[in-house]
Short mmCIF file of all heavy atoms in Angstrom, two decimals:
data_model
loop_
_atom_site.label_atom_id
_atom_site.label_comp_id
_atom_site.label_asym_id
_atom_site.label_seq_id
_atom_site.Cartn_x
_atom_site.Cartn_y
_atom_site.Cartn_z
N ALA A 482 31.88 21.10 8.72
CA ALA A 482 31.85 20.68 7.31
C ALA A 482 31.56 21.86 6.39
O ALA A 482 32.12 21.96 5.30
CB ALA A 482 30.80 19.59 7.12
N TYR A 483 30.67 22.73 6.82
CA TYR A 483 30.26 23.88 5.99
C TYR A 483 30.40 25.15 6.81
O TYR A 483 29.51 25.48 7.60
CB TYR A 483 28.81 23.72 5.53
CG TYR A 483 28.56 22.49 4.71
CD1 TYR A 483 27.82 21.42 5.22
CD2 TYR A 483 29.06 22.40 3.41
CE1 TYR A 483 27.58 20.29 4.45
CE2 TYR A 483 28.83 21.27 2.64
CZ TYR A 483 28.09 20.22 3.17
OH TYR A 483 27.86 19.11 2.40
N ASN A 484 31.51 25.85 6.64
CA ASN A 484 31.71 27.03 7.46
C ASN A 484 30.92 28.24 6.94
O ASN A 484 30.25 28.15 5.90
CB ASN A 484 33.21 27.35 7.61
CG ASN A 484 33.84 27.70 6.27
OD1 ASN A 484 33.15 27.96 5.29
ND2 ASN A 484 35.16 27.71 6.24
N ILE A 485 31.03 29.35 7.68
CA ILE A 485 30.22 30.52 7.35
C ILE A 485 30.51 31.01 5.93
O ILE A 485 29.58 31.31 5.17
CB ILE A 485 30.46 31.65 8.39
CG1 ILE A 485 30.00 31.17 9.78
CG2 ILE A 485 29.70 32.91 8.00
CD1 ILE A 485 30.29 32.13 10.93
N ALA A 486 31.79 31.04 5.56
CA ALA A 486 32.14 31.52 4.21
C ALA A 486 31.47 30.67 3.13
O ALA A 486 30.99 31.20 2.12
CB ALA A 486 33.65 31.51 4.04
N SER A 487 31.42 29.37 3.36
CA SER A 487 30.82 28.49 2.33
C SER A 487 29.31 28.74 2.23
O SER A 487 28.73 28.63 1.15
CB SER A 487 31.11 27.02 2.63
OG SER A 487 30.24 26.51 3.63
N ILE A 488 28.69 29.09 3.35
CA ILE A 488 27.24 29.38 3.31
C ILE A 488 27.00 30.67 2.51
O ILE A 488 26.12 30.73 1.65
CB ILE A 488 26.67 29.55 4.74
CG1 ILE A 488 26.81 28.24 5.53
CG2 ILE A 488 25.20 29.99 4.69
CD1 ILE A 488 26.41 28.35 7.00
N MET A 489 27.86 31.67 2.78
CA MET A 489 27.71 32.95 2.06
C MET A 489 27.92 32.75 0.56
O MET A 489 27.20 33.33 -0.26
CB MET A 489 28.70 33.99 2.60
CG MET A 489 28.43 34.39 4.03
SD MET A 489 26.76 35.04 4.22
CE MET A 489 26.55 34.99 5.96
N ASP A 490 28.89 31.90 0.20
CA ASP A 490 29.12 31.62 -1.22
C ASP A 490 27.88 30.97 -1.85
O ASP A 490 27.48 31.32 -2.96
CB ASP A 490 30.31 30.66 -1.40
CG ASP A 490 31.63 31.39 -1.22
OD1 ASP A 490 31.60 32.64 -1.21
OD2 ASP A 490 32.67 30.72 -1.06
N ALA A 491 27.32 30.01 -1.11
CA ALA A 491 26.14 29.31 -1.64
C ALA A 491 24.99 30.29 -1.85
O ALA A 491 24.25 30.19 -2.83
CB ALA A 491 25.72 28.19 -0.69
N ILE A 492 24.85 31.24 -0.94
CA ILE A 492 23.77 32.23 -1.07
C ILE A 492 24.01 33.11 -2.29
O ILE A 492 23.09 33.42 -3.04
CB ILE A 492 23.65 33.09 0.20
CG1 ILE A 492 23.16 32.21 1.36
CG2 ILE A 492 22.70 34.27 -0.01
CD1 ILE A 492 23.20 32.89 2.70
N ARG A 493 25.27 33.49 -2.50
CA ARG A 493 25.57 34.35 -3.64
C ARG A 493 25.24 33.68 -4.96
O ARG A 493 24.98 34.32 -5.96
CB ARG A 493 27.04 34.79 -3.61
CG ARG A 493 27.28 35.82 -2.52
CD ARG A 493 28.63 36.50 -2.59
NE ARG A 493 28.76 37.39 -1.45
CZ ARG A 493 29.34 37.07 -0.30
NH1 ARG A 493 29.89 35.87 -0.15
NH2 ARG A 493 29.37 37.92 0.70
N GLU A 494 25.26 32.34 -4.95
CA GLU A 494 24.95 31.60 -6.18
C GLU A 494 23.46 31.29 -6.32
O GLU A 494 23.02 30.69 -7.30
CB GLU A 494 25.71 30.28 -6.20
CG GLU A 494 27.16 30.44 -6.56
CD GLU A 494 27.91 29.13 -6.46
OE1 GLU A 494 27.33 28.06 -6.69
OE2 GLU A 494 29.11 29.19 -6.13
N PHE A 495 22.69 31.65 -5.32
CA PHE A 495 21.27 31.33 -5.34
C PHE A 495 20.57 32.13 -6.43
O PHE A 495 20.98 33.26 -6.72
CB PHE A 495 20.70 31.68 -3.95
CG PHE A 495 19.67 30.69 -3.46
CD1 PHE A 495 20.00 29.37 -3.26
CD2 PHE A 495 18.35 31.10 -3.21
CE1 PHE A 495 19.04 28.45 -2.82
CE2 PHE A 495 17.40 30.20 -2.76
CZ PHE A 495 17.74 28.87 -2.58
#
Side-chain angles (χ1 to χ4, degrees):
Y483 300 110
N484 64 14
I485 297 175
S487 80
I488 297 174
M489 294 302 165
D490 283 347
I492 292 171
R493 287 191 183 94
E494 282 176 31
F495 218 61

